[in-house]
Amino acid sequence: MHVPDGFIDAPVSVATGVVAAGAVAVSLRGARRELDERTAPLAGLVAAFIFAVQMLNFPVAAGTSGHLLGGALAAILVGPYTGVLCVSVVLLMQGVLFADGGLTALGVNITDMALVTTVVAYALFRAIVKLAPHRRRTVTVASFVAALISVPAAAVAFTAIYALGGTADVAIGKVFAAMVGVHVLIGIGEAAITALTVGAVVAVRPDLVYGARGVTARPLEIRSSPLAPAAPGAVARAGGPAAEPAAATSETPEAAGTPEPAGTPEPAGAPEPAGTPAPAAAPRRSARPVWWAGLAAALLCAGVVSFYASASPDGLEKVAHDKGIDQKEEDHAAKDSPLADYGVKDITDARLSGGLAGVIGVGATLAVGSGVFIVIRRRRATAESERG
Protein backbone atom coordinates (compact mmCIF):
# COMPACT_ATOMS: atom_id res chain seq x y z
CA MET A 1 0.00 0.00 0.00
CA HIS A 2 2.95 2.30 -0.56
CA VAL A 3 1.55 5.51 -2.06
CA PRO A 4 3.82 6.90 -4.82
CA ASP A 5 4.46 10.53 -5.68
CA GLY A 6 1.69 12.23 -7.62
CA PHE A 7 -1.34 10.40 -6.19
CA ILE A 8 -2.07 13.08 -3.58
CA ASP A 9 -1.85 16.83 -4.15
CA ALA A 10 0.63 19.08 -2.36
CA PRO A 11 -1.67 20.63 0.32
CA VAL A 12 -2.93 17.27 1.57
CA SER A 13 0.57 15.78 1.36
CA VAL A 14 1.83 18.59 3.56
CA ALA A 15 -1.07 18.14 5.98
CA THR A 16 -0.46 14.41 6.32
CA GLY A 17 3.22 15.18 6.73
CA VAL A 18 2.35 17.34 9.73
CA VAL A 19 0.16 14.56 11.15
CA ALA A 20 2.94 12.03 10.62
CA ALA A 21 5.54 14.29 12.24
CA GLY A 22 3.27 14.79 15.24
CA ALA A 23 2.67 11.05 15.53
CA VAL A 24 6.39 10.35 15.43
CA ALA A 25 7.09 13.05 18.04
CA VAL A 26 4.45 11.66 20.39
CA SER A 27 5.72 8.13 19.79
CA LEU A 28 9.30 9.13 20.61
CA ARG A 29 8.11 10.23 24.04
CA GLY A 30 5.78 7.29 24.54
CA ALA A 31 8.41 4.76 23.53
CA ARG A 32 10.51 5.77 26.55
CA ARG A 33 7.93 4.04 28.76
CA GLU A 34 7.89 0.92 26.60
CA LEU A 35 11.59 0.29 26.02
CA ASP A 36 14.08 -1.16 28.48
CA GLU A 37 17.56 -2.57 28.15
CA ARG A 38 16.26 -5.81 26.61
CA THR A 39 13.46 -4.56 24.39
CA ALA A 40 15.36 -1.69 22.75
CA PRO A 41 17.51 -4.00 20.58
CA LEU A 42 14.47 -6.20 19.95
CA ALA A 43 12.55 -3.20 18.62
CA GLY A 44 15.22 -2.65 15.99
CA LEU A 45 14.92 -6.31 15.06
CA VAL A 46 11.14 -5.98 14.72
CA ALA A 47 11.64 -3.15 12.22
CA ALA A 48 14.12 -5.24 10.23
CA PHE A 49 11.79 -8.25 10.31
CA ILE A 50 8.87 -6.18 9.02
CA PHE A 51 11.06 -4.87 6.21
CA ALA A 52 11.99 -8.43 5.26
CA VAL A 53 8.46 -9.84 5.36
CA GLN A 54 7.11 -6.90 3.35
CA MET A 55 9.22 -8.24 0.47
CA LEU A 56 7.11 -11.42 0.44
CA ASN A 57 4.12 -10.49 -1.72
CA PHE A 58 1.50 -13.22 -1.64
CA PRO A 59 -1.30 -13.72 -4.20
CA VAL A 60 -4.80 -12.79 -3.02
CA ALA A 61 -6.85 -12.67 -6.23
CA ALA A 62 -6.44 -12.94 -9.98
CA GLY A 63 -3.57 -10.62 -10.88
CA THR A 64 -3.33 -9.05 -7.41
CA SER A 65 -0.96 -9.59 -4.50
CA GLY A 66 -0.61 -8.31 -0.98
CA HIS A 67 2.11 -7.92 1.62
CA LEU A 68 2.43 -7.36 5.34
CA LEU A 69 1.85 -3.81 6.60
CA GLY A 70 3.25 -4.62 10.03
CA GLY A 71 1.51 -2.14 12.31
CA ALA A 72 -0.34 -4.80 14.30
CA LEU A 73 2.73 -7.01 14.59
CA ALA A 74 4.96 -4.19 15.82
CA ALA A 75 2.42 -2.82 18.30
CA ILE A 76 1.79 -6.21 19.91
CA LEU A 77 5.45 -7.21 20.09
CA VAL A 78 7.02 -3.96 21.32
CA GLY A 79 4.17 -1.58 22.17
CA PRO A 80 2.02 0.90 20.18
CA TYR A 81 4.35 3.91 20.42
CA THR A 82 7.40 1.88 19.52
CA GLY A 83 5.33 0.16 16.83
CA VAL A 84 4.64 3.46 15.09
CA LEU A 85 8.36 4.17 15.08
CA CYS A 86 9.22 0.69 13.77
CA VAL A 87 6.96 0.99 10.74
CA SER A 88 8.06 4.60 10.17
CA VAL A 89 11.70 3.50 10.05
CA VAL A 90 10.79 0.79 7.54
CA LEU A 91 8.92 3.26 5.31
CA LEU A 92 11.80 5.74 5.47
CA MET A 93 14.35 3.12 4.44
CA GLN A 94 12.12 1.85 1.63
CA GLY A 95 11.52 5.32 0.27
CA VAL A 96 15.12 6.53 0.43
CA LEU A 97 17.02 3.38 -0.56
CA PHE A 98 14.58 1.33 -2.65
CA ALA A 99 12.36 3.97 -4.31
CA ASP A 100 9.31 2.27 -2.80
CA GLY A 101 6.73 4.82 -1.70
CA GLY A 102 7.05 8.44 -2.76
CA LEU A 103 9.21 10.85 -0.81
CA THR A 104 6.59 13.59 -1.10
CA ALA A 105 4.05 10.96 0.00
CA LEU A 106 6.08 9.86 3.03
CA GLY A 107 3.66 11.65 5.34
CA VAL A 108 0.73 9.90 3.67
CA ASN A 109 2.40 6.51 4.05
CA ILE A 110 3.39 7.00 7.69
CA THR A 111 -0.09 8.25 8.56
CA ASP A 112 -1.78 5.37 6.75
CA MET A 113 0.56 2.41 7.23
CA ALA A 114 2.21 3.26 10.56
CA LEU A 115 -0.27 5.36 12.53
CA VAL A 116 -3.68 4.02 11.46
CA THR A 117 -2.74 0.34 11.46
CA THR A 118 -0.99 0.54 14.82
CA VAL A 119 -3.71 2.49 16.61
CA VAL A 120 -6.58 0.39 15.24
CA ALA A 121 -4.81 -2.92 15.78
CA TYR A 122 -3.61 -2.26 19.30
CA ALA A 123 -6.92 -0.80 20.49
CA LEU A 124 -8.75 -3.86 19.20
CA PHE A 125 -6.09 -6.21 20.59
CA ARG A 126 -6.38 -4.73 24.08
CA ALA A 127 -10.17 -4.89 23.99
CA ILE A 128 -10.13 -8.58 23.11
CA VAL A 129 -7.47 -9.43 25.69
CA LYS A 130 -9.39 -7.57 28.38
CA LEU A 131 -12.64 -9.42 27.70
CA ALA A 132 -11.30 -12.89 26.91
CA PRO A 133 -9.71 -15.39 29.33
CA HIS A 134 -6.10 -14.59 30.24
CA ARG A 135 -4.37 -17.37 28.35
CA ARG A 136 -1.58 -17.54 25.83
CA ARG A 137 -4.04 -18.61 23.16
CA THR A 138 -5.96 -15.38 23.74
CA VAL A 139 -2.90 -13.34 22.74
CA THR A 140 -2.59 -15.24 19.46
CA VAL A 141 -6.29 -15.01 18.63
CA ALA A 142 -6.40 -11.31 19.50
CA SER A 143 -3.35 -10.76 17.28
CA PHE A 144 -5.10 -12.43 14.36
CA VAL A 145 -8.27 -10.37 14.70
CA ALA A 146 -6.44 -7.09 15.26
CA ALA A 147 -4.21 -7.57 12.22
CA LEU A 148 -7.15 -8.65 10.08
CA ILE A 149 -9.08 -5.45 10.79
CA SER A 150 -6.09 -3.11 10.60
CA VAL A 151 -5.55 -3.64 6.86
CA PRO A 152 -9.01 -2.63 5.58
CA ALA A 153 -8.87 0.20 8.14
CA ALA A 154 -5.77 1.47 6.35
CA ALA A 155 -7.62 1.12 3.02
CA VAL A 156 -10.45 3.25 4.39
CA ALA A 157 -7.92 5.84 5.59
CA PHE A 158 -6.28 5.99 2.17
CA THR A 159 -9.68 6.47 0.52
CA ALA A 160 -10.42 9.36 2.89
CA ILE A 161 -7.05 10.96 2.11
CA TYR A 162 -7.66 10.50 -1.60
CA ALA A 163 -11.10 12.04 -1.30
CA LEU A 164 -9.45 15.15 0.16
CA GLY A 165 -6.48 15.43 -2.17
CA GLY A 166 -6.58 12.92 -5.00
CA THR A 167 -5.04 14.22 -8.21
CA ALA A 168 -7.24 12.20 -10.59
CA ASP A 169 -10.97 12.68 -11.09
CA VAL A 170 -12.20 9.27 -9.95
CA ALA A 171 -15.46 8.38 -8.24
CA ILE A 172 -14.63 7.91 -4.56
CA GLY A 173 -17.33 5.28 -4.15
CA LYS A 174 -15.59 3.04 -6.67
CA VAL A 175 -12.21 3.62 -5.04
CA PHE A 176 -13.64 2.78 -1.61
CA ALA A 177 -15.28 -0.44 -2.75
CA ALA A 178 -12.21 -1.64 -4.63
CA MET A 179 -9.72 -0.72 -1.92
CA VAL A 180 -11.66 -2.23 0.97
CA GLY A 181 -12.60 -5.33 -1.01
CA VAL A 182 -9.07 -6.32 -1.98
CA HIS A 183 -7.57 -5.32 1.36
CA VAL A 184 -9.97 -7.51 3.29
CA LEU A 185 -8.34 -10.41 1.45
CA ILE A 186 -4.86 -9.01 2.12
CA GLY A 187 -5.87 -8.67 5.76
CA ILE A 188 -6.25 -12.44 6.01
CA GLY A 189 -2.61 -12.87 5.02
CA GLU A 190 -1.58 -10.10 7.42
CA ALA A 191 -3.52 -11.79 10.22
CA ALA A 192 -1.93 -15.19 9.56
CA ILE A 193 1.61 -13.78 9.52
CA THR A 194 1.01 -11.71 12.64
CA ALA A 195 -0.61 -14.52 14.62
CA LEU A 196 2.08 -17.02 13.67
CA THR A 197 4.89 -14.63 14.62
CA VAL A 198 3.34 -13.50 17.90
CA GLY A 199 2.36 -17.06 18.78
CA ALA A 200 5.90 -18.30 18.16
CA VAL A 201 7.44 -15.67 20.45
CA VAL A 202 4.79 -16.13 23.14
CA ALA A 203 5.43 -19.89 23.12
CA VAL A 204 9.11 -19.49 24.03
CA ARG A 205 9.44 -16.05 25.66
CA PRO A 206 6.07 -14.50 26.58
CA ASP A 207 7.92 -11.96 28.75
CA LEU A 208 9.32 -10.35 25.58
CA VAL A 209 5.88 -9.70 24.04
CA TYR A 210 4.60 -6.29 25.12
CA GLY A 211 0.97 -7.16 24.50
CA ALA A 212 1.24 -10.35 26.56
CA ARG A 213 2.34 -8.61 29.75
CA GLY A 214 -0.16 -9.31 32.49
CA VAL A 215 -1.90 -11.90 30.32
CA THR A 216 0.39 -14.92 30.27
CA ALA A 217 1.90 -14.46 33.74
CA ARG A 218 0.42 -16.75 36.36
CA PRO A 219 0.97 -16.27 40.11
CA LEU A 220 2.84 -19.09 41.87
CA GLU A 221 0.90 -20.76 44.68
CA ILE A 222 2.69 -21.44 47.97
CA ARG A 223 2.52 -25.08 49.06
CA SER A 224 4.12 -26.66 52.12
CA SER A 225 4.72 -29.84 50.10
CA PRO A 226 4.03 -31.08 46.56
CA LEU A 227 0.89 -32.89 47.82
CA ALA A 228 -0.42 -30.18 50.10
CA PRO A 229 -3.17 -27.82 48.89
CA ALA A 230 -2.24 -24.22 48.27
CA ALA A 231 -2.88 -21.80 51.06
CA PRO A 232 -5.96 -19.64 50.37
CA GLY A 233 -4.84 -16.44 48.65
CA ALA A 234 -1.13 -17.18 49.03
CA VAL A 235 0.95 -16.37 45.99
CA ALA A 236 4.65 -15.99 45.39
CA ARG A 237 5.99 -12.69 44.26
CA ALA A 238 8.87 -12.79 41.85
CA GLY A 239 12.00 -11.59 43.56
CA GLY A 240 10.42 -11.19 46.98
CA PRO A 241 8.90 -13.04 49.91
CA ALA A 242 5.63 -14.87 49.66
CA ALA A 243 2.46 -12.92 50.17
CA GLU A 244 0.52 -13.64 53.31
CA PRO A 245 -2.56 -15.82 52.87
CA ALA A 246 -5.94 -14.24 52.72
CA ALA A 247 -7.77 -13.82 56.00
CA ALA A 248 -9.42 -17.05 57.10
CA THR A 249 -13.17 -17.19 57.44
CA SER A 250 -12.96 -18.87 60.84
CA GLU A 251 -10.86 -18.03 63.86
CA THR A 252 -7.56 -19.78 64.52
CA PRO A 253 -7.16 -21.79 67.73
CA GLU A 254 -5.03 -19.05 69.28
CA ALA A 255 -7.59 -16.37 68.45
CA ALA A 256 -10.36 -18.42 70.03
CA GLY A 257 -8.33 -18.93 73.17
CA THR A 258 -8.08 -22.69 72.67
CA PRO A 259 -4.57 -24.10 73.08
CA GLU A 260 -3.24 -25.76 69.97
CA PRO A 261 -2.58 -29.50 70.41
CA ALA A 262 1.05 -30.55 70.54
CA GLY A 263 2.43 -31.74 67.25
CA THR A 264 -0.15 -29.92 65.16
CA PRO A 265 1.52 -28.94 61.86
CA GLU A 266 1.80 -25.29 61.01
CA PRO A 267 -0.82 -24.22 58.45
CA ALA A 268 0.34 -24.07 54.85
CA GLY A 269 1.31 -20.56 53.85
CA ALA A 270 2.00 -19.42 57.43
CA PRO A 271 4.45 -16.50 57.73
CA GLU A 272 8.11 -17.42 57.88
CA PRO A 273 9.90 -16.94 61.25
CA ALA A 274 11.81 -13.72 61.62
CA GLY A 275 15.23 -13.83 60.09
CA THR A 276 14.34 -16.38 57.41
CA PRO A 277 15.93 -15.22 54.16
CA ALA A 278 13.55 -14.38 51.31
CA PRO A 279 13.76 -16.61 48.25
CA ALA A 280 16.19 -15.31 45.66
CA ALA A 281 14.75 -13.77 42.51
CA ALA A 282 15.04 -15.91 39.41
CA PRO A 283 17.84 -14.71 37.12
CA ARG A 284 16.67 -12.73 34.13
CA ARG A 285 16.91 -14.73 30.94
CA SER A 286 18.87 -13.34 28.04
CA ALA A 287 16.98 -12.20 24.96
CA ARG A 288 19.93 -12.98 22.69
CA PRO A 289 18.64 -16.37 21.42
CA VAL A 290 15.37 -14.75 20.34
CA TRP A 291 17.27 -11.86 18.74
CA TRP A 292 19.52 -14.17 16.72
CA ALA A 293 16.60 -16.36 15.68
CA GLY A 294 14.65 -13.32 14.53
CA LEU A 295 17.59 -11.95 12.60
CA ALA A 296 18.12 -15.31 10.89
CA ALA A 297 14.43 -15.41 9.92
CA ALA A 298 14.59 -11.86 8.53
CA LEU A 299 17.69 -12.61 6.47
CA LEU A 300 16.17 -15.82 5.17
CA CYS A 301 12.96 -14.05 4.12
CA ALA A 302 14.71 -11.10 2.47
CA GLY A 303 17.69 -12.93 1.02
CA VAL A 304 16.13 -16.19 -0.19
CA VAL A 305 12.36 -16.47 0.07
CA SER A 306 11.73 -13.06 -1.52
CA PHE A 307 12.80 -14.47 -4.89
CA TYR A 308 9.64 -16.60 -4.89
CA ALA A 309 7.27 -13.75 -3.95
CA SER A 310 4.36 -12.91 -6.22
CA ALA A 311 5.23 -10.51 -9.03
CA SER A 312 1.64 -9.30 -9.38
CA PRO A 313 0.86 -5.69 -8.42
CA ASP A 314 -0.23 -5.18 -4.84
CA GLY A 315 -3.70 -4.06 -3.83
CA LEU A 316 -3.16 -0.32 -4.22
CA GLU A 317 -1.27 -0.68 -7.50
CA LYS A 318 -4.02 -2.85 -8.93
CA VAL A 319 -6.81 -0.53 -7.86
CA ALA A 320 -4.86 2.52 -9.07
CA HIS A 321 -4.41 0.98 -12.51
CA ASP A 322 -7.99 -0.26 -12.83
CA LYS A 323 -9.67 2.91 -11.54
CA GLY A 324 -7.29 5.48 -13.04
CA ILE A 325 -5.84 6.78 -9.78
CA ASP A 326 -2.35 6.59 -11.26
CA GLN A 327 -3.03 9.07 -14.08
CA LYS A 328 -0.69 11.66 -12.58
CA GLU A 329 1.85 9.38 -10.90
CA GLU A 330 5.33 10.91 -10.87
CA ASP A 331 8.74 9.31 -11.13
CA HIS A 332 10.40 8.60 -7.82
CA ALA A 333 13.20 10.96 -6.84
CA ALA A 334 15.36 7.93 -5.95
CA LYS A 335 14.58 5.94 -9.09
CA ASP A 336 18.30 5.82 -9.94
CA SER A 337 19.28 4.49 -6.53
CA PRO A 338 21.65 1.48 -6.66
CA LEU A 339 18.96 -0.48 -4.79
CA ALA A 340 15.87 0.81 -6.63
CA ASP A 341 13.08 -1.75 -7.04
CA TYR A 342 14.80 -4.10 -4.58
CA GLY A 343 17.67 -5.08 -6.83
CA VAL A 344 21.37 -4.26 -6.80
CA LYS A 345 22.38 -2.22 -9.82
CA ASP A 346 24.69 -3.89 -12.37
CA ILE A 347 24.07 -7.41 -11.01
CA THR A 348 22.32 -9.27 -13.80
CA ASP A 349 21.40 -12.42 -11.89
CA ALA A 350 17.90 -11.70 -10.58
CA ARG A 351 18.13 -14.11 -7.65
CA LEU A 352 21.45 -12.71 -6.46
CA SER A 353 20.48 -9.09 -7.11
CA GLY A 354 17.19 -9.30 -5.22
CA GLY A 355 18.60 -11.38 -2.39
CA LEU A 356 21.54 -9.09 -1.84
CA ALA A 357 19.30 -6.03 -1.90
CA GLY A 358 17.07 -7.66 0.69
CA VAL A 359 20.00 -8.47 2.97
CA ILE A 360 21.30 -4.90 2.66
CA GLY A 361 17.85 -3.58 3.48
CA VAL A 362 17.56 -5.77 6.58
CA GLY A 363 20.99 -4.63 7.76
CA ALA A 364 20.28 -0.95 7.13
CA THR A 365 16.88 -1.06 8.80
CA LEU A 366 18.29 -2.97 11.77
CA ALA A 367 21.10 -0.46 12.20
CA VAL A 368 18.90 2.63 11.96
CA GLY A 369 16.08 1.17 14.04
CA SER A 370 18.34 -0.17 16.78
CA GLY A 371 20.19 3.14 16.91
CA VAL A 372 16.97 5.11 17.36
CA PHE A 373 15.59 2.81 20.06
CA ILE A 374 18.85 2.56 22.00
CA VAL A 375 19.07 6.37 22.09
CA ILE A 376 15.48 6.54 23.35
CA ARG A 377 16.28 3.99 26.04
CA ARG A 378 19.40 5.88 27.16
CA ARG A 379 17.45 9.11 27.44
CA ARG A 380 14.97 7.34 29.68
CA ALA A 381 17.78 6.00 31.83
CA THR A 382 19.33 9.45 32.04
CA ALA A 383 16.02 11.02 33.07
CA GLU A 384 15.49 8.37 35.74
CA SER A 385 18.98 8.88 37.17
CA GLU A 386 18.46 12.65 37.32
CA ARG A 387 15.18 12.19 39.20
CA GLY A 388 16.84 9.68 41.53
Side-chain angles (χ1 to χ4, degrees):
M1 196 186 288
H2 296 74
V3 180
D5 295 315
F7 274 29
I8 308 298
D9 62 23
V12 175
S13 295
V14 171
T16 54
V18 172
V19 172
V24 169
V26 171
S27 297
L28 286 170
R29 294 183 62 85
R32 295 184 185 181
R33 300 191 296 270
E34 297 172 346
L35 296 172
D36 56 31
E37 64 275 7
R38 290 187 304 164
T39 55
L42 288 175
L45 177 62
V46 168
F49 183 78
I50 290 173
F51 172 89
V53 180
Q54 282 196 3
M55 294 182 67
L56 308 182
N57 281 49
F58 48 85
V60 294
T64 308
S65 70
H67 62 74
L68 181 79
L69 299 185
L73 179 61
I76 295 166
L77 287 179
V78 293
Y81 293 107
T82 309
V84 170
L85 297 178
C86 283
V87 181
S88 297
V89 168
V90 172
L91 293 171
L92 178 63
M93 303 308 294
Q94 289 171 332
V96 172
L97 297 180
F98 299 91
D100 188 10
L103 296 181
T104 61
L106 184 60
V108 175
N109 286 319
I110 290 177
T111 300
D112 192 25
M113 295 177 63
L115 180 60
V116 172
T117 59
T118 300
V119 170
V120 170
Y122 196 73
L124 185 56
F125 173 85
R126 294 307 308 173
I128 296 173
V129 166
K130 184 177 181 180
L131 297 175
H134 283 196
R135 299 172 181 171
R136 291 185 179 183
R137 184 180 302 176
T138 299
V139 176
T140 304
V141 172
S143 301
F144 184 95
V145 176
L148 176 65
I149 302 301
S150 69
V151 177
V156 172
F158 168 78
T159 305
I161 293 172
Y162 195 82
L164 294 174
T167 56
D169 186 13
V170 180
I172 295 302
K174 294 181 178 180
V175 175
F176 176 85
M179 284 292 293
V180 173
V182 71
H183 283 91
V184 166
L185 299 177
I186 295 173
I188 297 173
E190 176 106 9
I193 295 170
T194 302
L196 287 172
T197 305
V198 172
V201 181
V202 166
V204 295
R205 291 295 303 274
D207 58 305
L208 296 180
V209 178
Y210 184 88
R213 296 178 182 178
V215 178
T216 58
R218 295 181 180 178
L220 301 178
E221 297 176 337
I222 303 303
R223 299 175 185 269
S224 59
S225 73
L227 300 179
V235 295
R237 294 191 180 98
E244 295 185 0
T249 55
S250 61
E251 292 183 336
T252 62
E254 294 83 355
T258 304
E260 187 176 352
T264 302
E266 190 175 355
E272 294 285 346
T276 302
R284 176 172 288 187
R285 296 169 61 190
S286 173
R288 288 183 180 179
V290 175
W291 192 92
W292 284 111
L295 178 59
L299 292 172
L300 180 64
C301 290
V304 179
V305 182
S306 61
F307 179 76
Y308 303 98
S310 173
S312 299
D314 68 18
L316 176 58
E317 292 172 337
K318 179 66 173 176
V319 172
H321 178 74
D322 291 347
K323 304 301 179 182
I325 295 176
D326 59 356
Q327 295 176 14
K328 297 185 179 181
E329 180 179 354
E330 300 173 1
D331 289 336
H332 199 287
K335 66 177 181 178
D336 296 325
S337 165
L339 299 173
D341 296 325
Y342 298 94
V344 178
K345 190 175 182 180
D346 297 330
I347 295 182
T348 57
D349 184 282
R351 185 190 300 267
L352 178 60
S353 177
L356 184 56
V359 170
I360 293 172
V362 168
T365 306
L366 178 64
V368 173
S370 297
V372 169
F373 298 126
I374 289 173
V375 168
I376 293 173
R377 168 58 191 164
R378 288 179 178 175
R379 287 187 176 180
R380 172 185 170 179
T382 302
E384 290 175 350
S385 64
E386 289 175 353
R387 288 197 300 267

